[in-house]
Amino acid sequence: MYRKIIINAVEHETRVALLEDGNIAELFIERGDASDIAGNIYKGRVQRVLPGMQAAFVDIGLQQAAFLYVNDVIGGNYSEIENFLIKRNGDEKDALDIDADGSFSPLIRRERHIEELITEGQEIMVQAAKAPMGSKGARLTTHISLPGRLLVLMPTSEHIGISRRIEDEAERHRLKEIIGSIREDNFGYIVRTAAEGAQKEKLEYEMGFLKNLWESIQKKYSTAPAFSLLHKEVAVSLRAVRDLLVDEAEKLIIDSRLGYESILNFLDTFKPSLKDSVELYEGLEPIFDGYNLEGDISRALKRKVWLKSGGYIVIEHTEALVAIDVNTGRYVGKHNLEETILKTNLEAVKEIAYQIRLRDIGGIIIIDFIDMEKKLNQEKVFNALSKLLKKDRSKTHVLPISELGLIQMTRKRTRQPLTRILCEPCFYCDGEGYLISRQSICYNIFREILRESHDMMGVKISLRVNPEIADLLHGEESQVIVELERIIGKQIVIYPASQLHMEEFDIFEIYKE
């Protein structure tokens, strides 16, 4: 599979698209509002400690307080487990489940209480693990990690881990031996996929670079006031170079000369041999138009996505989860119902896996496939989805199809989905997705005038409504006005007002004929 990175960089926004065989697979957007804070390190102050939730709110200078859970505090479960395993058997801590981002899941947990670890008013160094999402504040951790191109430094841990993507056991052993031999401190390190085949000198150089960076952050912390940004994660274009160009893509094309030079300078430090893979786009039309990406992005914002066969999927975001529904739509098949359903479900699987990556949907995802009677067909759909999700760089966990025909899965979430970045709630319906029907609005008007008529002293009533409601009250729903005039004994004069929302109306009294 041929992969390339397309970057559209302007002063107010940078968009990075990862293309796989010409199709956009992932999209990253960074805007001047600095909403994506994941990876940033702050000096914050503990606002409130909540024993009932085993968490704390920390002020890091954002509009909304950030959230710190007990397991993410130094001295909590992770460090205690690691100390326990080291004392019992120094090699046994290698059994910990290491993730590519440096986090790990202990095999044994010892309960600790948040009030034992931090206090209100305490100044604390934290790193943003997740950016704010909707009404939820940022998720913080005190387990700092500093990613480089080859290594991730974890100054609050002692563990040495190897990326799971390095599958050769001999290479994993070689890399672990090198890190163990050149490490002069008790810091933890994760060896990234890009380090496969790397020589000792390269690893030693990057280790020194990350250690110097950590020392610089510590010095800033000692002198900086609370609510200070100590370290900012590199810009999205440079993250694309660090995390994608080395491991995922063969070429990077950017339309900004300033960004192009910045990337070349970045590569001079980390990987000069990759400079030939970077190209400056100088075409006349916008770069995303030149690669036909805008249409795919617009499609990724729609609730309904059509399949080539005529079927479609519907993607609904709720507070707790994302629900995806599969429907046959216009597709009627050729032979029998079970075959039609299987074909629609398999086609939907490809689109669902694609949309999950492109929209960056995270958290709990429930997929409602069309019911299949044959167990074999259910397994085909499940296996197809599992295979496609292996391409996803975000960690996913998928359960087999349930008796209700549902697939339940989770996907690691670190930032807002595409729809939250590019969209906002509808000001007409306040994000509900529905308007009150025109007929219901007419009946609401009936009740409101009836309610207020007892206090009205005028000889007539003036009703200002949206033009579409005015047409309805003069036409199909004219009996509403006739009945009102009979009950209250006053004439009602209807005035269309185009500036009014469909659901809005104004009622005035007229005192003179």
Side-chain angles (χ1 to χ4, degrees):
M1 182 181 295
Y2 183 76
R3 295 184 176 93
K4 66 171 67 171
I5 301 164
I6 307 299
I7 301 180
N8 168 223
V10 291
E11 185 175 350
H12 58 275
E13 179 185 62
T14 300
R15 299 186 295 174
V16 177
L18 174 64
L19 271 58
E20 294 180 348
D21 292 334
N23 298 313
I24 182 171
E26 296 182 39
L27 179 67
F28 307 90
I29 299 175
E30 186 176 86
R31 290 177 169 171
D33 57 5
S35 57
D36 186 6
I37 66 167
N40 289 358
I41 300 175
Y42 297 88
K43 182 175 184 176
R45 179 177 288 130
V46 179
Q47 258 186 355
R48 292 179 64 198
V49 176
L50 307 172
M53 296 179 64
Q54 282 303 293
F57 287 110
V58 181
D59 189 349
I60 56 173
L62 303 181
Q63 291 183 348
Q64 198 172 14
F67 187 80
L68 178 64
Y69 186 58
V70 63
N71 281 352
D72 296 319
V73 181
I74 294 175
N77 287 340
Y78 291 161
S79 57
E80 291 299 316
I81 288 301
E82 195 170 42
N83 290 337
F84 172 77
L85 291 176
I86 292 168
K87 289 176 182 177
R88 189 177 66 178
N89 183 340
D91 295 327
E92 191 161 349
K93 65 176 180 175
D94 295 337
L96 293 177
D97 183 17
I98 300 296
D99 291 334
D101 61 358
S103 62
F104 53 90
S105 305
L107 301 178
I108 307 171
R109 290 192 179 272
R110 176 181 180 273
E111 185 177 357
R112 292 298 300 270
H113 301 293
I114 191 76
E115 60 269 28
E116 299 172 22
L117 304 172
I118 56 176
T119 58
E120 291 185 9
Q122 176 184 340
E123 293 184 346
I124 188 171
M125 184 190 296
V126 289
Q127 185 170 32
K130 294 181 181 179
M133 298 183 191
S135 60
K136 297 179 180 179
R139 174 77 178 265
L140 302 178
T141 179
T142 60
H143 296 279
I144 308 297
S145 62
L146 296 173
R149 192 180 67 84
L150 305 176
L151 302 172
V152 177
L153 169 64
M154 300 182 296
T156 62
S157 169
E158 297 181 6
H159 189 81
I160 298 175
I162 311 295
S163 169
R164 289 196 184 109
R165 292 192 180 186
I166 301 177
E167 298 178 352
D168 184 81
E169 286 299 326
E171 177 63 7
R172 294 174 66 87
H173 180 74
R174 182 187 75 88
L175 290 169
K176 194 164 188 176
E177 287 290 322
I178 291 175
I179 299 301
S181 67
I182 63 177
R183 182 172 66 166
E184 298 176 351
D185 46 54
N186 293 324
F187 294 161
Y189 292 91
I190 296 295
V191 182
R192 306 188 72 175
T193 310
E196 188 169 11
Q199 298 303 309
K200 179 179 179 180
E201 292 75 17
K202 290 280 187 182
L203 294 167
E204 194 168 17
Y205 173 82
E206 181 152 311
M207 185 180 288
F209 172 82
L210 293 174
K211 284 173 59 180
N212 290 337
L213 177 58
W214 171 238
E215 289 173 5
S216 172
I217 292 170
Q218 287 180 302
K219 288 178 181 177
K220 286 183 183 178
Y221 177 81
S222 64
T223 58
F227 325 134
S228 296
L229 175 63
L230 304 177
H231 170 73
K232 183 175 175 58
E233 175 66 301
V234 295
V236 66
S237 56
L238 298 183
R239 290 205 303 272
V241 175
R242 185 189 69 195
D243 301 336
L244 297 177
L245 185 59
V246 176
D247 302 330
E248 305 281 340
E250 288 78 24
K251 194 171 189 63
L252 184 149
I253 304 168
I254 184 170
D255 61 356
S256 163
R257 179 167 291 280
L258 186 63
Y260 172 74
E261 292 172 354
S262 174
I263 289 172
L264 292 183
N265 291 335
F266 184 79
L267 288 173
D268 273 334
T269 303
F270 290 101
K271 190 76 171 177
S273 61
L274 286 176
K275 292 174 70 174
D276 291 338
S277 302
V278 181
E279 177 183 318
L280 176 64
Y281 179 81
E282 297 180 298
L284 296 178
E285 62 180 336
I287 187 169
F288 270 38
D289 289 341
Y291 285 90
N292 299 315
L293 304 182
E294 297 291 7
D296 287 334
I297 296 172
S298 297
R299 188 164 166 259
L301 301 178
K302 296 186 181 300
R303 173 176 169 269
K304 180 185 287 188
V305 180
W306 288 96
L307 307 175
K308 290 181 180 178
S309 65
Y312 63 89
I313 62 173
V314 176
I315 302 174
E316 293 278 11
H317 291 259
T318 74
E319 283 291 326
L321 53 84
V322 174
I324 303 177
D325 186 37
V326 181
N327 296 280
T328 53
R330 297 189 294 260
Y331 181 58
V332 295
K334 294 181 180 180
H335 300 289
N336 59 64
L337 178 60
E338 184 73 9
E339 181 184 301
T340 301
I341 291 172
L342 176 61
K343 183 174 180 181
T344 304
N345 282 339
L346 288 174
E347 187 179 9
V349 160
K350 295 179 182 178
E351 190 64 37
I352 289 168
Y354 174 73
Q355 291 294 333
I356 285 174
R357 284 184 70 194
L358 179 56
R359 299 179 187 223
D360 201 12
I361 298 172
I364 300 171
I365 303 170
I366 306 295
I367 307 172
D368 183 11
F369 286 102
I370 307 169
D371 290 340
M372 295 168 285
E373 293 183 0
K374 296 181 180 178
K375 191 73 174 176
L376 179 62
N377 290 342
Q378 293 180 10
E379 291 176 357
K380 284 182 181 179
V381 171
F382 171 74
N383 292 334
L385 180 63
S386 299
K387 183 178 179 181
L388 287 168
L389 289 174
K390 287 181 180 178
K391 299 178 182 178
D392 197 341
R393 292 184 303 114
S394 292
K395 188 176 180 180
T396 58
H397 178 63
V398 189
L399 297 179
I401 295 180
S402 70
E403 293 181 1
L404 297 177
L406 305 175
I407 277 188
Q408 304 167 71
M409 63 171 287
T410 60
R411 183 174 184 268
K412 186 174 181 181
R413 175 170 55 192
T414 58
R415 57 197 179 99
Q416 297 189 81
L418 191 63
T419 49
R420 288 282 179 89
I421 297 172
L422 298 181
C423 304
E424 63 182 21
C426 171
F427 61 87
Y428 269 119
C429 64
D430 289 330
E432 295 293 335
Y434 295 96
L435 289 172
I436 297 175
S437 72
R438 289 175 296 174
Q439 186 180 49
S440 297
I441 294 169
C442 292
Y443 299 162
N444 286 346
I445 291 170
F446 177 91
R447 287 187 287 270
E448 186 64 24
I449 292 179
L450 201 60
R451 192 178 296 121
E452 294 185 11
S453 62
H454 301 292
D455 299 323
M456 289 184 174
M457 306 303 293
V459 295
K460 293 182 182 180
I461 293 176
S462 168
L463 175 64
R464 295 173 67 249
V465 294
N466 182 278
E468 291 198 29
I469 303 301
D471 290 343
L472 201 60
L473 289 172
H474 283 302
E476 295 176 23
E477 298 296 338
S478 59
Q479 79 278 1
V480 171
I481 301 300
V482 172
E483 179 70 6
L484 262 176
E485 291 178 334
R486 184 188 68 78
I487 294 173
I488 65 177
K490 295 177 182 179
Q491 182 183 356
I492 299 172
V493 183
I494 302 171
Y495 295 99
S498 57
Q499 71 271 23
L500 289 180
H501 180 284
M502 184 85 74
E503 297 176 1
E504 291 179 333
F505 55 86
D506 293 324
I507 302 169
F508 299 98
E509 294 180 73
I510 301 175
Y511 290 95
K512 294 182 179 180
E513 289 287 351

